[in-house]
Amino acid sequence: MTESTAVSSSLIYDVGMHNGDDTAFYLHQGFRVIAIEANPELADLGKRRFSSEIDSGRLTILNVGIAEKAGTGTFWICHDLTVWSSFEKTLMSRVGKEHHSIEIQTRRFCEILEEYGIPFFLKVDIEGSDHLCLQDLVGKPLPQFISVEAESGANDDDSTAATGRVENLSLLYTMGYRRFKLVRQSDFKAEPESEVKEFTQRVVNSAAHGKLRLPGLSQLAKQLTSHEQLCRKYRYRFSPDSSGPWGDGAPGVWLSYEQAQSVHTKARRRYARRAWKARRAGFGHYFWYDWHAKV
């Protein structure tokens, strides 16, 4: 295998393919896709769903787990929410979900890059192991755009919930990325710097789906939500389980590293308040965000 020395403008990696909804959007945009999925059942579903794209060479699905070394590893599968499946048992089994383990093939991410090349956009969502992909890009040409999970914080205690961790953001900056967006996974909306804008977003979402729903007003509010606006813009129906648009196409303005840190801190404070209320009511509340970055 020969290591690629240039970024391929027609190539996207979907690391953590899950049900294939992100891969479907990238194929819809005309890109060639390398999709990586550790769960054998989901990988098989993807191969059936995209059989024609695989046959035409537009899509390659790798049923492997990204790990620190090639070989085999114990992978924990969450029964109710397969999106939480992980090599990290504590991440996967939160809130008492049933789970079981299987042995799967593992590969270093750098080996896959050497075989298939450097993508224009790299999406990573592999529950606790995103940093392995970032680390293996050090010293290589960087994808123009990248998205990784913001640290979940699902297991944070009350003393850390309001501040959270920014290891992935710091690593992205160290690698050479200089522009960032913090995007909510629930509606693909970038977290704004302004508290007024954040409040306005919450009112619109509540009128569309929450406590402020009223006959007639609800349908109008739904058309104003970020999710619906993006579906109209791209003429594509984004699944709630997908990562949504990426790069310059993702909502929001690009922020500096310092601005991104500030936005993250504000978002975590709001999360801490809502998580406390949710726990008192007997519900779970999780910090589900992605970092989008641009060189």
Side-chain angles (χ1 to χ4, degrees):
M1 294 184 293
T2 303
E3 183 174 344
S4 173
T5 58
V7 174
S8 173
S9 61
S10 62
L11 180 63
I12 286 179
Y13 277 32
D14 185 359
V15 185
M17 179 186 70
H18 192 238
N19 62 10
D21 284 347
D22 288 333
T23 288
F25 177 55
Y26 307 148
L27 291 168
H28 170 77
Q29 290 184 301
F31 288 93
R32 184 166 53 92
V33 180
I34 305 297
I36 301 172
E37 176 53 50
N39 187 328
E41 292 185 3
L42 292 177
D44 287 342
L45 285 173
K47 290 174 183 177
R48 292 195 293 271
R49 177 179 179 179
F50 301 112
S51 59
S52 61
E53 290 84 357
I54 292 172
D55 290 342
S56 68
R58 295 184 59 215
L59 171 64
T60 298
I61 296 178
L62 304 178
N63 180 204
V64 298
I66 301 299
E68 294 181 348
K69 61 180 180 180
T72 60
T74 301
F75 189 72
W76 296 90
I77 294 180
C78 180
H79 296 181
D80 296 336
L81 289 169
T82 52
V83 71
W84 280 356
S85 300
S86 172
F87 285 112
E88 300 290 337
K89 183 179 180 181
T90 55
L91 290 178
M92 185 282 312
S93 61
R94 53 195 155 189
V95 299
K97 296 294 184 182
E98 292 186 5
H99 55 277
H100 70 278
S101 66
I102 59 173
E103 294 297 308
I104 64 170
Q105 180 186 356
T106 61
R107 292 186 67 179
R108 286 278 306 276
F109 187 59
C110 59
E111 297 172 352
I112 296 173
L113 290 172
E114 290 168 1
E115 183 172 357
Y116 295 99
I118 306 293
F120 183 67
F121 169 57
L122 168 63
K123 169 233 154 174
V124 186
D125 187 348
I126 48 176
E127 296 305 304
S129 297
D130 292 32
H131 65 283
L132 297 178
C133 294
L134 302 185
Q135 291 170 355
D136 275 2
L137 274 167
V138 173
K140 293 180 171 59
L142 294 176
Q144 181 70 24
F145 300 99
I146 191 169
S147 76
V148 299
E149 277 197 301
E151 289 72 20
S152 167
N155 296 315
D156 288 347
D157 58 27
D158 291 335
S159 65
T160 61
T163 54
R165 303 176 301 275
V166 289
E167 285 95 337
N168 283 347
L169 174 63
S170 299
L171 183 52
L172 287 166
Y173 184 80
T174 300
M175 292 166 61
Y177 289 95
R178 292 294 179 264
R179 293 297 173 188
F180 308 92
K181 299 177 185 180
L182 183 63
V183 177
R184 285 197 299 261
Q185 293 182 3
S186 60
D187 61 2
F188 319 133
K189 189 70 175 179
E191 198 70 12
E193 288 189 273
S194 166
E195 293 289 343
V196 174
K197 289 184 179 179
E198 194 279 333
F199 175 76
T200 302
Q201 290 176 11
R202 283 196 290 121
V203 170
V204 170
N205 288 335
S206 182
H209 306 290
K211 295 180 179 180
L212 297 181
R213 289 180 64 186
L214 292 172
L217 177 62
S218 176
Q219 290 302 317
L220 174 61
K222 284 180 182 179
Q223 298 304 309
L224 298 177
T225 62
S226 174
H227 184 274
E228 290 300 320
Q229 290 181 42
L230 290 170
C231 289
R232 291 197 299 273
K233 176 181 178 181
Y234 286 95
R235 297 182 179 179
Y236 186 87
R237 177 56 56 177
F238 292 101
S239 161
D241 293 327
S242 70
S243 299
W246 53 274
D248 288 331
V253 298
W254 291 107
L255 306 174
S256 68
Y257 178 65
E258 293 75 17
Q259 289 171 322
Q261 285 180 307
S262 175
V263 164
H264 180 268
T265 298
K266 293 176 183 177
R268 287 306 299 258
R269 287 173 179 164
R270 288 190 290 268
Y271 155 75
R273 293 194 298 267
R274 294 168 192 166
W276 179 80
K277 293 179 181 178
R279 284 195 296 270
R280 290 197 64 183
F283 299 103
H285 188 75
Y286 304 108
F287 190 76
W288 285 334
Y289 284 81
D290 291 326
W291 284 118
H292 286 244
K294 177 180 181 179
V295 175

